[in-house]
Amino acid sequence: MSSTVEQADAQTPGKGHSVTITVNNKAVEITGPRVTGLQIKEAAIAQGVQIDLDFQLSQELSSGETRIVGDADVVTVNKNSVFTAVAGDDNS
Amino acid sequence: MAPQPMTDPWTLRMPAAMATTLRQHLFPGDGDEHGAVIGASVVATARGTRLLARRLYLAEDGVDYVPGQRGYRMLTATFVRDRVRDCRSQGLAYLAVHCHGGTTHVGFSGTDLASHERGYPALRDILGSTPAGGLVFATDAVAGDLWLPDGGRAELERAVITGWPIKTLYPEPPPPPTSDPTYDRQSRVFGDRGQAILAAQKVAVVGAGGAGSLIVEYLARLGVGELVIIDPDRVEETNLPRLAGARACDARTWLTDPARPGWLQSLGHRYATPKVRVARRVARQANGRIHVHALRADVTQSTIAANLVDCDYLFLAADSMQARLVVNALIHQYLIPGVQVGAKVQVGPGGVVTDVFSVVRPLAPGFGCLWCNGLISPARLQDEALTAEQLRQQRYVQDEAVHAPSVISLNAVASAHAVDDYLHTVTGLLPTGYEPRWRRFHPLVPTGPQRVRCDIPRAAADCTECSETGRLGQGHNAPLPTK
């Protein structure tokens, strides 16, 4: 699994081949291999994953660690890439 | 046991020590809100679905529980993410916790529910096969909003804190029950609500011999609604003096008389009444409305032990180490309070009685473990696993025809105290700060105070049975030590 994250720069993410990643245990097809955090959430929402754009996105690494992926961060994904997206839990 | 679908009612069970930690975190006296997460095993049974609190994650104020974006406070997304990942990896349900003011009534606000609508579908997807949900506590109340794996949604009916007393929290006090004139005299002690609690209970009695048969009668007469009675044995003539409700005909004494031919005696033993059938007869005579499951079987069989996972209380009145091992595991693994009872007459050389005592050992999840108090002998477990022939070859056992001494009054002392403890703990009559003790009653001790001896059980931090790193709250996520 790739573990590189960069800030969006001259390279335009989202141009390449289709890859199926996992977001909240749901399969999400996205054009990779380089995508932004925002693109991952947009693709997941478009394919029925029940999250909002302002949820916190994290990549689950093979080491067992997680890494937060910001909206503008670029991550290289492949078929083994796993993400979680959760909201904070507001209480009255 | 075939897996059951998750169905209503949904209840939460929590060990007393964890409940105390959570209470101190939520209600430190500052009148403010605080947050936490509970990871809970999910046990679906025919009586509803139980959430067994196994992990408690306290949210640190200002770090994990911060000023809200849409409400007053919030659990941060990072805290939520890490906890839901933990729950997923351990097969647990995820329950976010916060507190409100008030005492006996509590409910979610519009802000709370909007946050659930927004965030819990994602948590449910991440968890996969276990629910996500939220709990809101007042000092003596709890409400829960559960998002189920099948897309459904359920409310938590109640939470049971498995200490002394056994405390039940509801979103609001349940409506008063109707009076039953049959129980007029005893309900004057613990009220119609106490009587209703007893009627709703499912209680197991493991071992229907001298102690177990008395426990069955006491529970039935108290008005307990449902009993599971487990014992593999049939009535023998020597049981008659101390087996409640047993008759000579149950032992087939006219066939088993030593004067009869051997084949006739064998027939008599084979067709003697099972002890559980006598116990069922006693229970029904005492209480015509009681529901009795009489299982002529061994609790160490996995299919039999599975009948106990949805009980409210377990009485262990069986002698074998394997039965102790299994019931002890059920208590801690499924968060079911219980008690071990027994009576013993020790005989020395020449048949001289050296000691006589009755014992009552209250057990609650996470407290009072038979294993870490040395009351389950690995050597005897090993012996019991051998066949009779293997035992004979190793010459481990005495002549099977020689029975240990036993007297009904000794059993009655232990049984009455055990049922009395049960009654007072489930009906909430125990005083605040009640400290349970294991008690031994020694009638032959000449001076008063030593006739009743109290032991404070120990708890090993790394106990495989009762600790948080062991079975505690594991539910179906760990196998029972059954055959």
Side-chain angles (χ1 to χ4, degrees):
Chain A
M1 183 190 308
S2 168
S3 61
T4 59
V5 175
E6 307 159 15
Q7 292 297 310
D9 54 23
Q11 282 192 295
T12 306
K15 289 190 175 178
H17 61 273
S18 176
V19 58
T20 302
I21 62 173
T22 302
V23 180
N24 288 359
N25 277 339
K26 307 281 188 186
V28 172
E29 197 169 326
I30 195 165
T31 302
R34 292 166 57 72
V35 292
T36 66
L38 183 61
Q39 285 175 318
I40 291 172
K41 287 192 279 190
E42 286 174 335
I45 291 167
Q47 293 171 53
V49 180
Q50 297 183 78
I51 61 172
D52 289 346
L53 285 179
D54 63 351
F55 277 29
Q56 182 194 75
L57 183 71
S58 299
Q59 185 174 13
E60 301 199 18
L61 307 178
S62 55
S63 63
E65 297 172 299
T66 55
R67 181 175 51 212
I68 295 174
V69 181
D71 285 353
D73 292 344
V74 178
V75 57
T76 303
V77 298
N78 60 35
K79 64 181 181 182
N80 296 319
S81 297
V82 176
F83 296 88
T84 56
V86 300
D89 195 343
D90 279 88
N91 305 146
S92 63
Chain B
M1 184 172 65
Q4 297 267 349
M6 297 179 195
T7 55
D8 288 339
W10 285 77
T11 56
L12 171 69
R13 300 178 79 80
M14 194 184 307
M18 182 188 288
T20 299
T21 303
L22 179 60
R23 173 175 287 270
Q24 289 169 346
H25 179 73
L26 294 179
F27 304 105
D30 60 3
D32 205 347
E33 288 192 9
H34 304 278
V37 167
I38 292 172
S41 304
V42 183
V43 177
T45 77
R47 297 179 78 214
T49 307
R50 291 182 173 185
L51 299 169
L52 310 179
R54 173 157 169 82
R55 295 277 181 252
L56 174 61
Y57 308 95
L58 301 179
E60 185 180 347
D61 291 328
V63 177
D64 307 313
Y65 200 59
V66 299
Q69 294 174 342
R70 294 170 173 80
Y72 175 61
R73 291 276 191 270
M74 64 178 280
L75 292 170
T76 66
T78 299
F79 185 76
V80 171
R81 179 203 65 193
D82 290 347
R83 301 293 85 77
V84 79
R85 289 179 77 242
D86 279 354
C87 290
R88 179 186 63 189
S89 68
Q90 297 172 63
L92 304 176
Y94 165 99
L95 305 169
V97 176
H98 75 289
C99 59
H100 282 176
T103 52
T104 58
H105 293 68
V106 73
F108 292 105
S109 68
T111 301
D112 295 336
L113 292 170
S115 186
H116 298 180
E117 299 272 1
R118 185 175 133 77
Y120 287 0
L123 301 184
R124 184 169 55 188
D125 285 345
I126 293 169
L127 290 165
S129 59
T130 57
L135 307 175
V136 58
F137 282 80
T139 52
D140 285 312
V142 63
D145 175 26
L146 306 171
W147 293 63
L148 311 183
D150 66 1
R153 199 165 163 182
E155 293 183 357
L156 188 77
E157 184 188 86
R158 63 186 188 279
V160 178
I161 313 300
T162 57
W164 289 278
I166 297 168
K167 191 167 185 177
T168 305
L169 307 178
Y170 299 90
E172 59 186 54
T178 54
S179 296
D180 183 339
T182 306
Y183 298 106
D184 175 65
R185 298 287 293 277
Q186 66 182 40
S187 63
R188 289 171 187 264
V189 178
F190 42 76
D192 291 332
R193 194 175 302 288
Q195 195 62 57
I197 289 170
L198 291 170
Q201 291 265 296
K202 179 181 179 183
V203 178
V205 182
V206 178
S213 67
L214 292 168
I215 291 168
V216 165
E217 173 147 23
Y218 298 159
L219 294 174
R221 292 198 184 279
L222 280 174
V224 167
E226 188 172 357
L227 286 182
V228 183
I229 309 168
I230 299 174
D231 195 302
D233 294 336
R234 295 177 182 274
V235 177
E236 296 177 9
E237 185 174 13
T238 59
N239 300 142
L240 296 177
R242 64 185 183 283
L243 201 61
R247 306 164 184 156
C249 60
D250 291 317
R252 306 292 189 269
T253 48
W254 70 95
L255 295 173
T256 58
D257 187 306
R260 300 284 190 185
W263 66 270
L264 212 52
Q265 291 182 48
S266 174
L267 209 60
H269 290 302
R270 184 182 303 175
Y271 291 105
T273 309
K275 289 180 179 175
V276 292
R277 203 177 297 168
V278 174
R280 180 172 60 191
R281 188 170 68 210
V282 167
R284 287 179 173 168
Q285 284 171 348
N287 175 359
R289 284 173 289 186
I290 197 167
H291 189 188
V292 180
H293 310 268
L295 306 178
R296 183 180 165 248
D298 187 336
V299 75
T300 65
Q301 299 293 329
S302 58
T303 54
I304 302 305
N307 289 281
L308 306 185
V309 302
D310 62 351
C311 282
D312 298 300
Y313 206 88
L314 304 177
F315 284 84
L316 172 58
D319 292 334
S320 80
M321 284 294 148
Q322 294 201 18
R324 281 191 186 187
L325 183 71
V326 171
V327 173
N328 187 63
L330 281 161
I331 284 169
H332 301 291
Q333 189 167 329
Y334 287 91
L335 306 187
I336 306 169
V339 61
Q340 187 240 327
V341 300
K344 193 163 189 177
V345 179
Q346 289 181 327
V347 179
V352 177
V353 172
T354 56
D355 196 11
V356 176
F357 64 90
S358 308
V359 67
V360 183
R361 298 187 178 108
L363 309 166
F367 179 88
C369 171
L370 296 176
W371 180 262
C372 62
N373 282 275
L375 290 164
I376 299 173
S377 158
R380 278 191 56 190
L381 280 175
Q382 198 171 13
D383 288 352
E384 289 175 8
L386 299 174
T387 65
E389 180 57 29
Q390 288 170 320
L391 282 167
R392 265 193 295 278
Q393 286 173 354
Q394 295 195 12
R395 299 181 181 178
Y396 276 159
V397 290
Q398 301 162 348
D399 186 343
E400 284 185 5
V402 178
H403 294 296
S406 190
V407 183
I408 188 170
S409 56
L410 297 173
N411 293 327
V413 168
S415 301
H417 277 272
V419 175
D420 196 52
D421 285 349
Y422 161 77
L423 173 66
H424 287 90
T425 192
V426 297
T427 57
L429 287 182
L430 293 180
T432 304
Y434 175 84
E435 293 184 343
R437 293 288 182 266
W438 287 358
R439 283 157 290 157
R440 282 176 288 129
F441 302 87
H442 293 262
L444 300 186
V445 171
T447 54
Q450 294 301 311
R451 288 190 190 130
V452 181
R453 296 175 188 170
C454 295
D455 299 322
I456 303 171
R458 66 187 288 270
D462 57 350
C463 177
T464 57
E465 305 302 295
C466 71
S467 77
E468 291 179 11
T469 56
R471 294 185 184 280
L472 190 64
Q474 287 256 41
H476 291 340
N477 291 332
L480 284 168
T482 49
K483 294 174 186 169

